[in-house]
Amino acid sequence: MVEIENLSVGHGRKILVENAEGVFAAGACTALIGRNGAGKSSLLRVLAGIDRPMSGVVRVGGKNLASMSAAERARTVAFVTTQRVRISNLSCASVVGMGRAPYTDWIGRLSEADRRAVEAALAAVGMSDYATRTMDTMSDGECQRVMIARALAQDTPVILLDEPTSFLDLPGRYELADLLSGIAREGGKTVVYSTHELDIARDRCDAIALVDPPRLVMRPSTDTICRIFHIKYVLLKN
């Protein structure tokens, strides 16, 4: 579970989110929506402990994220960015193995337990048969599944993703949304991802968080106010 208290996020003097309060529940998937530049990515980076908030507190499992060491944060929060990995000769299994870095020795050697974790993560996203394939031969959807597998191998209670459905076709977006919802519910993890696909978010997620600077409004996806989100979001996009 991730709790935010009086959280303000921004750049320089520009405030994107101000005095936000709320809970991203364990075992639930939350869609983070808002127009481009509203602050979705900035908020995710603060929730991941990569950037510092302007003010306020982020707690994971009741513990202040800011008080954690880098190693402890790496065992607590996994972050999947929008970056596409296209390095030749880098196998899917090697990429997923990087997620075990918080648990390996100083030179990064994988133990038998680490290898089993990599295999389990690939299986969880349906990519076991691609373990030896190199990332430069994969489609966008396949690469995104591998990056999610890396986050699963990291074995954290919280997984954050920045626009994971971008560059995917419509069936691929639904498949990925189903995958993320399953990871949250079956694994008891807190999953939060930013997206522009509000229809998919309403159908597949447990909650929706709207970044409407400087407000952050959080509601269950079944709440009737999400219809207002939909109307407002369409207007904001246009």
Side-chain angles (χ1 to χ4, degrees):
M1 179 175 67
V2 177
E3 302 170 272
I4 56 175
E5 180 181 337
N6 294 323
L7 188 70
S8 294
V9 175
H11 302 292
R13 295 183 178 180
K14 183 177 182 180
I15 299 174
L16 298 171
V17 175
E18 186 173 29
N19 297 329
E21 303 267 350
V23 174
F24 298 94
C29 190
T30 301
L32 187 62
I33 66 170
R35 63 180 179 180
N36 287 334
K40 300 186 300 298
S41 296
S42 297
L43 177 58
L44 285 173
R45 289 178 63 86
V46 168
L47 295 179
I50 298 171
D51 293 338
R52 291 183 177 274
M54 299 177 77
S55 62
V57 178
V58 177
R59 294 188 180 91
V60 181
K63 186 170 183 179
N64 190 337
L65 190 67
S67 69
M68 296 182 186
S69 66
E72 188 176 2
R73 284 199 306 272
R75 293 190 293 267
T76 304
V77 181
F79 186 38
V80 181
T81 70
T82 55
Q83 183 179 2
R84 294 294 181 265
V85 177
R86 283 288 189 271
I87 302 174
S88 60
N89 299 322
L90 185 63
S91 71
C92 295
S94 296
V95 172
V96 177
M98 294 176 185
R100 299 301 299 168
Y103 310 99
T104 58
D105 60 23
W106 67 278
I107 59 173
R109 286 180 297 193
L110 297 183
S111 67
E112 187 58 36
D114 293 323
R115 294 188 182 92
R116 287 197 297 269
V118 169
E119 292 172 0
L122 284 167
V125 300
M127 296 296 287
S128 295
D129 293 340
Y130 293 75
T132 60
R133 288 269 301 273
T134 56
M135 296 295 289
D136 59 327
T137 65
M138 313 282 282
S139 69
D140 283 336
E142 290 165 345
C143 281
Q144 194 62 281
R145 283 177 176 266
V146 171
M147 299 309 292
I148 293 170
R150 185 183 71 170
L152 287 176
Q154 198 171 331
D155 194 22
T156 59
V158 179
I159 299 178
L160 310 175
L161 307 96
D162 195 3
E163 296 195 25
T165 60
S166 60
F167 305 113
L168 302 182
D169 58 18
L170 188 59
R173 293 171 189 173
Y174 271 98
E175 289 174 3
L176 191 57
D178 284 337
L179 172 64
L180 294 173
S181 294
I183 289 170
R185 293 164 189 167
E186 295 168 19
K189 296 179 181 293
T190 300
V191 176
V192 183
Y193 67 90
S194 60
T195 181
H196 289 288
E197 309 296 333
L198 184 54
D199 289 334
I200 296 176
R202 286 176 57 195
D203 289 342
R204 298 301 196 265
C205 290
D206 302 288
I208 293 177
L210 171 66
V211 181
D212 181 20
R215 299 184 305 154
L216 177 68
V217 185
M218 301 173 65
R219 291 290 187 276
S221 59
T222 54
D223 198 317
T224 53
I225 200 170
C226 287
R227 297 178 183 177
I228 299 174
F229 283 5
H230 187 271
I231 295 170
K232 183 165 188 175
Y233 183 57
V234 169
L235 293 174
L236 286 172
K237 284 183 68 176
N238 295 329

